[in-house]
Amino acid sequence: MAPTTPGLHHVTAIAGDPRANAEFYVGALGLRFVKRTVNHDDTGTYHFYFGDEQGTPGTNITFFPWTDRGHSGQFGAGQTRDTAYLIRSDSVDYWADRLASQGVAVDRSERFGETVLGFDDPDGIGLELVGSEAAREADAKPWADSPVPADHQLRGFHSVTLAVDAFEPTAEVLTDVLGYELEGEDDGRRRYRTPDGGPGSAVDLVETDADRGHMGVGTVHHVAFEAADVHEQERWRGVFRDHRLDVTEVIDRKYFQSIYSREPGGVLFEIATTGPGFTVDEDVDELGSTLTLPEWLEDERERIEAQLPEFEGPTAETGGN
Ligand code: ZN
């Protein structure tokens, strides 16, 4: 049985200062700080997750804040250029005003018949808010304590835009491996979508003349797609191997199980399971309020906490919990 073409699960990027990162995603964008843990592969670095009220897959942007010890990244081919969130069409003016009042420079444009607000986060990571009727069907859950009123809150992902030096190698992975379909072209951009066409199901490709990018502060580390469960994920491992793509073993990320494969255009793809989700170690009311560690790191908590950079926020004034 062929696995079902996956929509987006999360996007993970590298930030600098943890406080500036949390203040922006919670205080300015109104996402909930749903989990603070550490990078399992580098426990001296936090791993922050921002999403809807419950951290529903398809709403979470996550960060490794490297602080000023980390080197800057260089944007280029083989990287995610923009991560786009859905907003309601009638929320576009609200967001244009809100971002302007926060001192964020916004570029407003039309694309595939939808209005796009483009801007950078404090580390230069490309973000977009796309006014779309699809926002009404999205299953993102509003967060009651957000500084953004429920009707205007981000409704989960709209799409990601991957910059590649040539369309074909990455397009083939999207279509022949993952089962995406070419939906259309607009101004040199190709949009691919899952056959079911739900919200958060588009991947855009743009070609760039830039050299291959370098991972570091201000760049996206990987894009994760969602598999319903570990059986579906195992089927994906088989599909990747059948297409002669390297793919990792299953890795336990506590909140989901993950496999990774770097597509030939250079972008690191992950397939992450829907569950068990963020309420596996904190109640919904408590999400993000404490430093959580997986069982296999709990014995080292004292050492890990001592190594982490100082971080208090986000503050109550900016809507943090
Ligand atoms: Zn990931």
Side-chain angles (χ1 to χ4, degrees):
M1 187 173 78
T4 305
T5 298
L8 298 169
H9 184 287
H10 65 267
V11 172
T12 295
I14 299 166
D17 178 45
R19 185 176 186 89
N21 178 250
E23 295 277 352
F24 186 78
Y25 283 89
V26 178
L29 296 187
L31 292 173
R32 186 174 187 189
F33 193 176
V34 290
K35 192 64 69 178
R36 74 180 78 187
T37 181
V38 296
N39 180 347
H40 296 175
D41 302 324
D42 169 18
T43 59
T45 299
Y46 279 114
H47 193 179
F48 293 165
Y49 293 77
F50 306 105
D52 73 351
E53 183 205 35
Q54 298 176 17
T56 307
T59 72
N60 301 306
I61 187 162
T62 98
F63 292 90
F64 302 130
W66 281 5
T67 72
D68 54 10
R69 296 170 304 169
H71 61 85
S72 290
Q74 175 69 47
F75 173 77
Q79 288 188 342
T80 301
R81 194 181 71 184
D82 300 297
T83 299
Y85 274 93
L86 278 165
I87 54 172
R88 286 170 28 164
S89 311
D90 55 6
S91 295
V92 170
D93 290 337
Y94 168 87
W95 277 103
D97 291 347
R98 181 177 177 84
L99 291 165
S101 75
Q102 308 261 351
V104 178
V106 176
D107 176 60
R108 184 172 181 143
S109 61
E110 295 291 319
R111 184 189 301 155
F112 292 106
E114 296 171 329
T115 303
V116 180
L117 302 178
F119 53 99
D120 286 347
D121 86 351
D123 293 300
I125 292 165
L127 296 171
E128 293 174 335
L129 302 182
V130 183
S132 171
E133 287 312 302
R136 294 178 191 276
E137 307 154 30
D139 54 8
K141 293 168 186 61
W143 174 39
D145 293 332
S146 174
V148 176
D151 283 353
H152 293 311
Q153 287 180 27
L154 310 193
R155 308 291 297 152
F157 293 128
H158 173 279
S159 57
V160 288
T161 298
L162 312 181
V164 290
D165 53 20
F167 285 125
E168 281 70 25
T170 304
E172 276 181 31
V173 173
L174 290 173
T175 57
D176 299 0
V177 180
L178 294 176
Y180 276 66
E181 296 169 349
L182 179 64
E183 182 178 82
E185 279 196 59
D186 187 354
D187 196 24
R189 166 187 298 266
R190 293 188 185 175
R191 173 159 294 171
Y192 297 83
R193 191 178 290 282
T194 62
D196 75 9
S201 56
V203 177
D204 287 3
L205 298 184
V206 293
E207 287 185 329
T208 176
D209 294 331
D211 292 338
R212 278 277 167 120
H214 297 289
M215 189 187 62
V217 174
T219 64
V220 172
H221 188 269
H222 62 266
V223 172
F225 299 90
E226 182 175 5
D229 55 35
V230 290
H231 307 293
E232 185 87 340
Q233 184 176 56
E234 197 54 41
R235 286 194 280 273
W236 281 117
R237 285 192 77 236
V239 171
F240 278 106
R241 285 197 305 257
D242 290 347
H243 286 84
R244 296 193 173 77
L245 293 168
D246 286 335
V247 60
T248 65
E249 297 296 312
V250 176
I251 300 172
D252 184 356
R253 294 304 189 194
K254 177 71 178 175
Y255 308 108
F256 38 82
Q257 306 287 318
S258 299
I259 59 174
Y260 302 85
S261 180
R262 193 173 295 280
E263 59 84 26
V267 183
L268 184 60
F269 283 172
E270 172 183 349
I271 305 256
T273 55
T274 306
F278 296 111
T279 53
V280 73
D281 59 0
E282 286 178 307
D283 292 338
V284 173
D285 290 352
E286 303 294 322
L287 286 176
S289 60
T290 57
L291 180 75
T292 61
L293 295 173
E295 307 78 75
W296 61 91
L297 292 175
E298 197 57 59
D299 285 351
E300 298 174 67
R301 176 176 283 273
E302 212 168 310
R303 182 189 63 78
I304 288 170
E305 286 184 345
Q307 283 180 350
L308 285 167
E310 201 172 317
F311 173 71
E312 298 285 330
T315 58
E317 303 87 79
T318 56
N321 46 357

